[in-house]
Amino acid sequence: MKNKKIPHYGKVKPINYRYIYEEQFYDVLGKLKLPLMIVIFTTMVGVLIFMIANNKSDGQSVVNFFFHTVISISTIGYTEGYSENVIMNRLLSAVFIIIAFPLGYMYGLVKTIQVLTTSNLDKIYRYWRMYKDMEKINDHFIITPFNEITKEIMKDFKKRKIPFILIEPDRSKEQEIQAFNPNYYVFDEPHKRAVLLGCFIERAKGLITAFEENTQDLAVIVTARLIRPDKDNFYIFATATTEGSAEKMKLLGANEVIVPQQTIGKRIVSLVLHPPSPIVSNFLNKIAFGERTDIDIAEVYVDENSWIVGKALKDIHLRKNTNTTIVAIVKPDGKMDIAPSGDTIIKAGETLLLLGKPVNVEKAKIYINKPQEVES
């Protein structure tokens, strides 16, 4: 018998957030068990008393006695479930109501109402339903924490319909997060392996961490990269307060790290350098920073097995087949050929910069990366 392979992240079990709220629901049911059993038991005792007193156990009589007991205790009306020994039955009814109402029904029903009004069943169900739906997520991003930076990220992700799960360690932000209304969110520590596994990091596309304290970002990056070591298949993006912190994050596994102060400064400089053409500058900034959802720019690496290697741009009919445009070609040495002509020959190792609608850009990536046909 072969030994079962242990995952590279150890024997850590993912947190099942749906199960947490299922347990809370069962806890509520557990609290209801005793008061409800008291109500049911008291009712059955009442039915048995009348059955024994009247020496009747046929179905019709049992139903009449049950109905008589219930409406007697509920005080909503009175229909006697007997036609013989009226005085005796009325005396039994009176004694039963005097004893059973305060001892059985009053406690049982009051306790039941108290449990239902203090257990937040609506909240438990809302979270349970969210985590049940979250289990179907795939190719998503994990975002942490909830702050002004990640708010902007999540807004754009919503516009582009990019799935994501928010992890926020501070439970006090619950109302603010609910008002923001992300599809999926958990309150937990994102640097813990069990938490990331519970957010399905194994089938996620990437992770974004933007804490104010870089030590927290470093912890998240290390944990995430431990679970998903392949940088080409799992992307980690982070923010840093200094260039030194950014370098550390890259060494520990982040694909890209942004220093907000530098990015803001460079954007202001770009506006300063292009005063005669604010429309063009604004347009390019919106594409670069993801503010436009109807147009996208993307890099496509040309693999040596791609069918377009060795062909001229005009011969691959990219615009005709995908409705995208090659705005530049980046050579392996970093040099850039802006607005290449149709006679430009495409070589392996080059990177094509494509401009077009997001859906067409994705189509172009598939079109470009088709393998060469092998001649038989």
Side-chain angles (χ1 to χ4, degrees), residues 263-319:
T263 303
I264 294 170
K266 289 178 180 179
R267 190 166 188 185
I268 291 174
V269 170
S270 71
L271 295 172
V272 172
L273 294 177
H274 301 90
S277 54
I279 295 177
V280 174
S281 178
N282 191 42
F283 175 74
L284 293 176
N285 277 330
K286 285 189 175 182
I287 295 174
F289 289 94
E291 296 172 17
R292 290 288 297 261
T293 58
D294 58 341
I295 193 167
D296 201 1
I297 188 166
E299 302 176 6
V300 182
Y301 178 78
V302 181
D303 188 82
E304 59 181 5
N305 296 319
S306 173
W307 72 277
I308 68 172
V309 172
K311 291 183 170 58
L313 282 180
K314 63 183 180 181
D315 295 329
I316 67 172
H317 307 294
L318 184 68
R319 183 166 182 79

Side-chain angles (χ1 to χ4, degrees), residues 311-321 326 340-346 367:
K311 291 183 170 58
L313 282 180
K314 63 183 180 181
D315 295 329
I316 67 172
H317 307 294
L318 184 68
R319 183 166 182 79
K320 177 182 177 182
N321 290 296
I326 296 177
S341 68
D343 295 323
T344 302
I345 303 299
I346 303 170
Y367 182 77

Side-chain angles (χ1 to χ4, degrees), residues 104-133:
Y105 286 92
M106 181 67 75
Y107 169 79
L109 293 176
V110 169
K111 190 66 176 177
T112 299
I113 294 172
Q114 183 184 16
V115 170
L116 291 176
T117 54
T118 60
S119 59
N120 295 320
L121 273 177
D122 57 332
K123 180 179 178 180
I124 293 173
Y125 174 72
R126 184 172 68 251
Y127 276 105
W128 175 85
R129 186 177 62 181
M130 178 178 69
Y131 293 137
K132 186 174 184 293
D133 292 340

Side-chain angles (χ1 to χ4, degrees), residues 232-265:
D232 293 328
N233 293 320
F234 184 78
Y235 305 96
I236 297 179
F237 305 102
T239 61
T241 54
T242 64
E243 290 186 35
S245 296
E247 288 300 320
K248 289 179 184 178
M249 291 179 191
K250 288 184 179 179
L251 288 173
L252 290 172
N255 294 74
E256 294 291 340
V257 181
I258 295 173
V259 181
Q261 293 87 342
Q262 289 183 348
T263 303
I264 294 170

Side-chain angles (χ1 to χ4, degrees), residues 8 66 117 171 228 255:
H8 55 270
F66 175 74
T117 54
R171 189 88 195 199
R228 296 291 303 272
N255 294 74

